[in-house]
């Protein structure tokens, strides 16, 4: 079956946002002193933007794509006559190993929780899309008690619903609906940010507040990028996102490796401004985009994706090709 390029762009886009959060969670920073004037205001403005437009937004997109990827993986395996559930369990077990190793260097990373919670998706595959959408909403509301687990499960189910409805397989046919969703989400962003602030101040429930503030932005990001990719020249200009997304697992883990290496070499912890960390994040993304492009010009998938696929199938699958 034909690969859905839009999903690779979205994965790459999610990676871009995630690194700007991970780098300040992994490397303690100091604020630019007020006497630096412009640079202090720039540093604070950048942090405000990241907290309002990035923090808690891109992991949820990643979670949405994980649920969507689950649907595509299982449905395509079934179409090939393979034991889809067995293969998906193997896929999760390999991801669990990656997550356990990665967690030692970045506590709170996503792979470990995805691998554990992913097992809950298997019995939900046969439910109707409306049922999965309703369960997803309930999981998001459960963030009051379950925290990030409820958010991840909710976004998994939204992704599963999107896969069942095939909304990414023929965007052009449903373009008006995509545009309506984009406009509505844009209109709701100020309300979401206001609700996020009010919920935190009134209850201290950060996770549920981030759902209220983040969902409109998530929908706006995904719908806007998806619609832009309907334009051939935008697909070309944004190709670095595609290359990052094609190697999402490799690049996600390598971001941690590169951040920790640069911290150790440059002694950044407790001394660097966030502005400096953001510049380092941009440099890492540029390096990864170049490396991913060069790698994929010779190989059909990233190195860790290769290991993941071999662990899933027990061999290099004959049906896989560079265009798959």
């Amino acid at each position: 079956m034909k690969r859905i390029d839009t999903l690779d762009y979205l994965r790459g886009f999610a990676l871009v946002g995630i690194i700007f959060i991970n780098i300040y969670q992994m490397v303690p920073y100091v604020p630019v002193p007020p006497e630096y004037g412009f640079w202090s205001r720039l540093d604070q403005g950048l942090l405000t933007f990241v907290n309002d437009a990035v923090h808690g937004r891109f992991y949820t997109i990643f979670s949405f794509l994980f649920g969507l990827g689950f649907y595509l993986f299982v449905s395509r395996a079934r179409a090939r006559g393979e034991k889809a559930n067995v293969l998906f369990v193997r896929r999760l077990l390999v991801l669990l190993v990656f997550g356990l190793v990665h967690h030692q260097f970045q506590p709170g990373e996503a792979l470990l929780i995805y691998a554990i919670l992913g097992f809950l998706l298997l019995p939900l595959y046969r439910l109707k899309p409306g049922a999965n959408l309703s369960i997803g909403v309930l999981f998001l509301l459960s963030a009051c008690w379950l925290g990030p687990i409820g958010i991840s499960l909710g976004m998994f189910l939204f992704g599963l619903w999107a896969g069942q409805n095939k909304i990414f397989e023929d965007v052009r046919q449903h373009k008006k609906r995509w545009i309506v969703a984009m406009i509505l989400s844009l209109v709701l962003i100020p309300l979401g940010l206001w609700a996020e602030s009010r919920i935190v101040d009134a209850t201290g429930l950060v996770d549920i507040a981030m759902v209220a503030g983040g969902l409109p932005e998530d929908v706006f990001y995904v719908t806007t990028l998806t619609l832009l990719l309907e334009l051939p020249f935008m697909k070309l200009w944004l190709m670095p996102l595609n290359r990052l997304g094609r190697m999402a697992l490799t690049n996600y883990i390598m971001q941690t490796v590169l951040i920790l290496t640069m911290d150790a070499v440059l002694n950044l912890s407790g001394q660097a401004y966030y502005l400096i960390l953001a510049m380092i994040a941009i440099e890492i993304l540029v390096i990864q985009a170049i490396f991913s492009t060069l790698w994929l010009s010779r190989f059909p998938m990233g190195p860790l994706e290769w290991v993941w696929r071999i662990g899933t199938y027990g061999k290099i699958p004959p049906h896989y090709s560079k265009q798959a």
Side-chain angles (χ1 to χ4, degrees), residues 120 124 134-143 146 150-151 153-154 157:
L120 299 177
L124 300 173
S134 300
I135 296 172
V137 171
L138 291 176
F139 273 127
L140 284 183
L141 294 176
S142 75
L146 298 179
I151 296 173
L153 286 171
L157 269 293

Side-chain angles (χ1 to χ4, degrees), residues 19-20 52 70-71 77 107 122 130 133 135 162 167 175 200 210 219 225 236 256 258 264 268 280 283 294 313:
I19 192 173
F20 287 98
D52 287 345
F70 157 75
Y71 173 81
L122 287 169
L133 182 63
I135 296 172
I167 66 173
K175 190 173 182 179
V200 170
M210 288 178 63
V219 175
L225 182 54
L236 182 62
T256 297
L258 292 171
L268 299 171
I280 291 173
E283 292 172 0
L294 294 174
Y313 292 93

Side-chain angles (χ1 to χ4, degrees), residues 279-311:
M279 293 172 64
I280 291 173
I282 292 172
E283 292 172 0
I284 290 174
L285 288 170
V286 171
I287 292 170
Q288 289 192 315
I290 294 171
F291 174 77
S292 298
T293 299
L294 294 174
W295 183 276
L296 291 171
S297 69
R298 298 197 60 185
F299 302 101
M301 65 189 80
L304 293 186
E305 284 76 11
W306 190 262
V307 174
W308 196 11
R309 188 167 286 266
I310 292 174

Side-chain angles (χ1 to χ4, degrees), residues 130-191:
N132 281 321
L133 182 63
S134 300
I135 296 172
V137 171
L138 291 176
F139 273 127
L140 284 183
L141 294 176
S142 75
C144 294
W145 304 278
L146 298 179
I149 292 177
I151 296 173
S152 295
L153 286 171
M155 297 309 296
F156 286 179
L157 269 293
F158 285 177
L160 175 54
W161 168 84
Q164 289 175 315
N165 282 286
K166 300 179 171 29
I167 66 173
F168 287 98
E169 295 184 26
D170 193 355
V171 174
R172 189 167 301 176
Q173 182 180 349
H174 305 289
K175 190 173 182 179
K176 290 184 178 179
R177 295 181 183 179
W178 280 93
I179 293 174
V180 169
M182 180 187 70
I183 294 173
L184 284 176
S185 61
L186 178 61
V187 171
L188 289 173
I189 286 175
L191 178 61

Side-chain angles (χ1 to χ4, degrees), residues 227-276:
L227 287 169
L228 285 175
L229 293 173
E230 289 299 296
L231 305 173
F233 74 93
M234 290 302 301
K235 293 191 74 170
L236 182 62
W237 287 359
L238 296 173
M239 187 58 68
L241 291 181
N242 178 278
R243 296 304 180 240
L244 285 171
R246 284 284 296 272
M247 294 173 48
L249 177 63
T250 297
N251 286 323
Y252 177 66
I253 291 179
M254 285 307 300
Q255 284 181 358
T256 297
V257 173
L258 292 171
I259 290 170
L260 293 178
T261 299
M262 296 187 78
D263 182 26
V265 172
L266 301 176
N267 192 27
L268 299 171
S269 293
Q271 300 192 55
Y273 307 132
Y274 181 71
L275 188 60
I276 300 299

